[in-house]
Amino acid sequence: MTTTSRDPLAAQPTAAQPTAERRSAAEQRSVEQRFAEHPLREHLRDLDCLDETLAFNRAFERAASSRPARLAPLDPAVLAQLRRNRLGGDTPPHRLPQARDRRLPGGVRVRVLDPGAPEGVLLHLHGGGWAFGSADGQDERLWELARRARLAVVSVDYRLAPEHPHPAGPEDCEAAARWLAEHAEAEFGTRRLLIGGESAGAHLAVLTLLRLRDGRGPVHAYRAAHLAFGPYDLAMTPSQRDFGDRPLLSNTRSLQGSYDMYSPGTGPEGRRDPALSPLYADLTGLPPARLVVGTEDPLLDDSVLLARRWRDAGGAARLDVVAGAMHGFTLYPLTVTTRERRRESAFLAAAGR
């Protein structure tokens, strides 16, 4: 979910080194104590590079605060400009020649990255608050993932809000998931299917599994789910409501703006509908999942609560919480990004065998 109250896609701060902003010894001890006593400490990762991660957040906030506020709803011209650029950046995405675009029966567009002789296929759903992003927006990252995890990747160009609000996006994702379940062996030589996404894409990944299950579709064809910092309660979890206007990539106001575009005219009670908010759904029968989120993400509670409910429903759910990381941190050149990409590829390489 990208911030709409301020432009997150303008010039970005560079990753700060731990020594770039020196804290006092007292401040350092305070931060260390906070994380030592963190209620999620058993799930915390990357404490050893906390200084770098927090320094990047501070630089990001300073850069965001220096730009004029942009209030929702977005002007169509502004929306078009943001969509031309990659998520988290101010330049268009780099399209790799190894990727190819396809239009599936029914009209859904996908982008395929196949390193050759894949041992599985990942159905990937991009992030961007249901209003930004595209299947070709992360070619380099997805190609790296495909080669490292020995997977083909099929990324879905689902329809975007506000022109196409709910349920257009979930319908496109479900159609792509059904097509892949039926054609994976003929197209890629494997029936081992995985699903995953980031932010709004993680939300759509869970909805897709639920729609397959409830529509008597091939939910069991998908053997694992990788879910990165998704919004699973559009009525807002406590961490969403309490985050405030802190100018990181996502905050309370930007989330509200995204929800208004995705589900216009729907109030908090209506947004508790499991068709919109999978946190309220029956989660039985879903495959093993890995959920990842940062401690400085307004969507922290969403991953924590979904992992708990996933396990309560009888499923396997691993929760990793990255110390100090903001929403969408994997878009930026940080040590935690390098580590998280390796953890993601390791999980996907091993899952569902």
Side-chain angles (χ1 to χ4, degrees):
M1 321 289 286
T2 53
T3 302
T4 55
S5 58
R6 296 187 185 272
D7 181 4
L9 304 180
Q12 309 155 21
T14 56
Q17 296 303 312
T19 57
E21 295 187 22
R22 296 185 183 275
R23 291 195 296 266
S24 70
E27 289 175 319
Q28 181 70 24
R29 286 194 297 271
S30 176
V31 170
E32 291 174 353
Q33 183 178 14
R34 170 190 165 198
F35 283 94
E37 299 173 354
H38 199 284
L40 297 170
R41 56 188 174 275
E42 66 180 291
H43 301 286
L44 286 177
R45 302 291 178 265
D46 306 315
L47 280 162
D48 61 315
C49 50
L50 182 61
D51 275 358
E52 176 193 340
T53 308
L54 294 178
F56 177 83
N57 292 353
R58 292 192 294 272
F60 190 99
E61 290 185 77
R62 284 197 305 273
S65 297
S66 68
R67 296 188 289 271
R70 177 182 292 138
L71 301 177
L74 294 177
D75 178 88
V78 174
L79 189 63
Q81 179 185 4
L82 293 174
R83 286 176 176 171
R84 283 195 295 270
N85 293 336
R86 63 183 179 85
L87 292 175
D90 59 355
T91 57
H94 178 55
R95 289 170 55 94
L96 293 182
Q98 296 93 328
R100 53 193 174 93
D101 296 313
R102 292 190 57 174
R103 187 179 293 273
L104 304 181
V108 177
R109 294 177 300 170
V110 299
R111 190 159 174 83
V112 180
L113 298 101
D114 184 357
E119 299 175 10
V121 186
L122 171 68
L123 185 70
H124 172 258
L125 309 175
H126 68 79
W130 306 282
F132 309 104
S134 60
D136 67 355
Q138 300 180 67
D139 275 5
E140 292 167 306
R141 184 186 76 82
L142 293 179
W143 182 246
E144 176 190 2
L145 174 63
R147 296 181 64 187
R148 183 176 285 170
R150 302 179 299 281
L151 299 172
V153 178
V154 176
S155 190
V156 183
D157 232 349
Y158 56 86
R159 287 171 289 172
L160 298 176
E163 300 91 335
H164 304 286
H166 179 87
E171 288 173 349
D172 289 351
C173 295
E174 180 186 0
R178 288 179 177 274
W179 174 85
L180 185 59
E182 183 176 346
H183 295 92
E185 189 166 20
E187 294 275 347
F188 302 103
T190 178
R191 290 188 291 179
R192 178 174 162 258
L193 303 183
L194 313 166
I195 189 170
E198 309 82 38
S199 193
H203 165 270
L204 290 170
V206 182
L207 287 191
T208 298
L209 291 172
L210 293 170
R211 291 169 71 96
L212 291 177
R213 184 198 65 188
D214 296 343
R216 297 183 180 179
V219 65
H220 296 296
Y222 290 86
R223 304 184 188 182
H226 192 273
L227 309 172
F229 36 79
Y232 308 117
D233 181 0
L234 274 60
M236 299 195 120
T237 54
S239 64
Q240 292 189 49
R241 295 193 301 268
D242 296 343
F243 195 84
D245 290 337
R246 186 180 177 191
L248 291 174
L249 191 65
S250 189
N251 59 34
T252 301
R253 185 181 300 178
S254 74
L255 290 169
Q256 291 169 337
S258 293
Y259 300 162
D260 289 343
M261 285 192 288
Y262 178 65
S263 56
T266 307
E269 191 59 39
R271 288 176 179 161
R272 292 187 178 91
D273 183 342
L276 281 169
S277 296
L279 188 61
Y280 299 96
D282 173 10
L283 301 177
T284 56
L286 300 188
R290 177 178 182 256
L291 298 91
V292 59
V293 68
T295 59
E296 311 306 301
D297 190 329
L299 299 173
L300 173 62
D301 285 353
D302 293 61
S303 289
V304 173
L305 294 172
L306 188 71
R308 183 181 305 162
R309 293 212 59 242
W310 204 286
R311 291 189 291 264
D312 289 345
R318 168 183 164 186
L319 174 66
D320 286 335
V321 180
V322 179
M326 70 174 184
H327 185 75
F329 69 93
T330 52
L331 294 169
Y332 301 98
L334 294 160
T335 301
V336 290
T337 297
T338 300
R339 292 182 179 182
E340 173 50 34
R341 288 181 178 177
R342 288 173 180 165
R343 288 189 292 255
E344 176 188 24
S345 61
F347 172 82
L348 291 171
R353 292 187 180 275

